[in-house]
Amino acid sequence: MTTLGTANAAPGETDTGRLEVGETRDGSPVRLPVAVINGAADGKTLYVQAVSDGDELNGLGVVNRVVPRIDPAELSGTVLVVGIVNYHAFQVAEHRNPIDDTKMNRAYPGDESGTTSERIAAATFEAAMRADLILDLHQGSTSRMIDEVRVRCGPRHRLHGDCLRLAKVFGCGYVLDQKGPDGQLARAGPDEGVPTIDPELGGCVGWDEESIRKGVEGTFNVLRYYGFLDGDVEVETQTRSRGFDQYASPAGGLVRFKREIGAEVSRGEDLFEVTDVFGTVKANVTADSDGIFWRSRRLPQVASGEYVCSVAVDVDSY
Ligand SMILES: [Zn+2]
């Protein structure tokens, strides 16, 4: 039997259940929804989690579609899933856990006697450490963003090559290869010897079906490539960036973008303009360097100095 929380699956079975992680303010248990898919044959273990940030629902869309499509009779190995990590933020559709105002993806590997976020991080990290590979499904919050996969361990890490390979197999087409901040699962996982990626499935309010489709396809690519399921995977060349230039508005007003997400931009080309309420242009902002138009704010109104968009720079392919 393979167990995660109350989910308990014999070989060839799928079960769902709850992983208890402390109590809410009214004393009822915090129980994260989990699934165990125990393959009929032996093999590796894949750990998948979603909604580490409470407003990032595309990963949940992926889990919601992938779990019923994996037939445990055809699976070699095990898939462990935590469908909603940031329980408290999910309830109120916010990014951060409102109980401790913490971003979950700064709390790994967690602390079982720490804050609510640290306790959830510790419990999910313990599950993740049973795996050979980790997928931590995110998105660019509610802003607009390209579908990409993040490798966060940094180029000098001993697992850098393994994480890059996993990102390439997942295959969104774009990879951000940049060491992440402390506390990310995509750093804590490799530090403990488990290749980990952080697919960033677009950015939207609610569900974006195209980003979810890429996440579903990426998860099945991983399952096939690493031998969980039969079938071939066409591993394709990925466009890789090593960082971003972020652009803020020089003036208060309304932003009009001159580029689409995913567009190549050259140094000096227009990125956006800012107008006043009645359409008079107040400022025009151009690219400081060559790159790819990667992410942009959703709301048109900006204050001076407020974030507008990101251009990925230092781009190559692998
Ligand atoms: Zn996130």
Side-chain angles (χ1 to χ4, degrees):
M1 297 293 265
T2 301
T3 300
L4 177 57
T6 63
N8 214 350
E13 286 180 3
T14 296
D15 194 22
T16 61
R18 295 280 169 168
L19 177 64
E20 199 164 321
V21 192
E23 294 183 342
T24 64
R25 285 169 172 165
D26 69 3
S28 54
V30 174
R31 301 162 80 225
L32 313 182
V34 296
V36 174
I37 310 171
N38 189 354
D42 289 340
K44 292 185 167 73
T45 297
L46 174 68
Y47 173 79
V48 183
Q49 71 171 35
V51 201
S52 170
D53 295 310
D55 58 351
E56 298 185 359
L57 306 182
N58 283 340
L60 176 58
V62 172
V63 164
N64 178 271
R65 289 153 178 77
V66 163
V67 170
R69 275 178 53 188
I70 300 174
D71 181 353
E74 292 174 4
L75 186 74
S76 301
T78 305
V79 182
L80 302 174
V81 186
V82 177
I84 298 167
V85 171
N86 201 334
Y87 174 91
H88 301 282
F90 174 79
Q91 305 299 334
V92 290
E94 284 176 11
H95 193 76
R96 300 158 76 94
N97 179 350
I99 305 294
D100 54 18
D101 194 30
T102 296
K103 187 168 160 65
M104 185 66 66
N105 210 19
R106 300 292 180 273
Y108 283 92
D111 178 350
E112 63 183 22
S113 52
T115 63
T116 57
S117 292
E118 287 168 342
R119 285 169 195 241
I120 291 171
T124 52
F125 193 68
E126 190 183 320
M129 285 302 99
R130 295 163 58 187
D132 301 288
L133 301 162
I134 297 171
L135 307 179
D136 183 13
L137 302 173
H138 283 260
Q139 69 189 55
S141 187
T142 56
S143 58
R144 296 176 207 280
M145 196 166 79
I146 207 165
D147 300 296
E148 45 124 330
V149 178
R150 295 190 172 178
V151 170
R152 293 308 230 164
C153 62
R156 285 198 287 277
H157 199 282
R158 67 193 163 92
L159 261 59
H160 184 240
D162 296 310
C163 294
L164 273 183
R165 163 62 42 173
L166 182 55
K168 185 169 181 170
V169 169
F170 195 91
C172 275
Y174 295 93
V175 171
L176 175 72
D177 180 14
Q178 183 189 46
K179 188 172 183 178
D182 285 346
Q184 290 195 323
L185 179 55
R187 279 193 53 195
D191 283 352
E192 294 300 321
V194 186
T196 305
I197 55 170
D198 168 353
E200 295 279 343
L201 301 169
C204 61
V205 178
W207 274 351
D208 182 293
E209 289 301 330
E210 180 60 16
S211 294
I212 291 171
R213 189 191 62 73
K214 286 184 184 173
V216 170
E217 203 175 291
T219 305
F220 277 102
N221 285 348
V222 168
L223 289 168
R224 294 192 182 104
Y225 182 88
Y226 291 95
F228 294 88
L229 292 173
D230 288 341
D232 294 328
V233 181
E234 242 178 83
V235 178
E236 288 169 1
T237 300
Q238 303 292 300
T239 300
R240 168 170 64 170
S241 158
R242 262 66 162 253
F244 301 114
D245 283 345
Q246 292 198 338
Y247 292 83
S249 182
L254 304 158
V255 172
R256 286 187 196 163
F257 290 106
K258 301 297 186 70
R259 320 299 295 184
E260 299 282 333
I261 296 292
E264 287 185 26
V265 298
S266 302
R267 184 187 150 92
E269 281 183 355
D270 290 346
L271 294 177
F272 63 91
E273 63 186 17
V274 183
T275 72
D276 72 7
V277 170
F278 303 107
T280 302
V281 176
K282 297 176 74 177
N284 186 50
V285 173
T286 60
D288 293 333
S289 41
D290 297 350
I292 296 169
F293 196 76
W294 199 269
R295 180 178 189 157
S296 68
R297 65 183 291 110
R298 184 169 296 277
L299 295 174
Q301 65 270 40
V302 281
S304 50
E306 195 173 4
Y307 172 80
V308 176
C309 64
S310 306
V311 174
V313 296
D314 201 357
V315 175
D316 68 359
S317 58
Y318 80 101

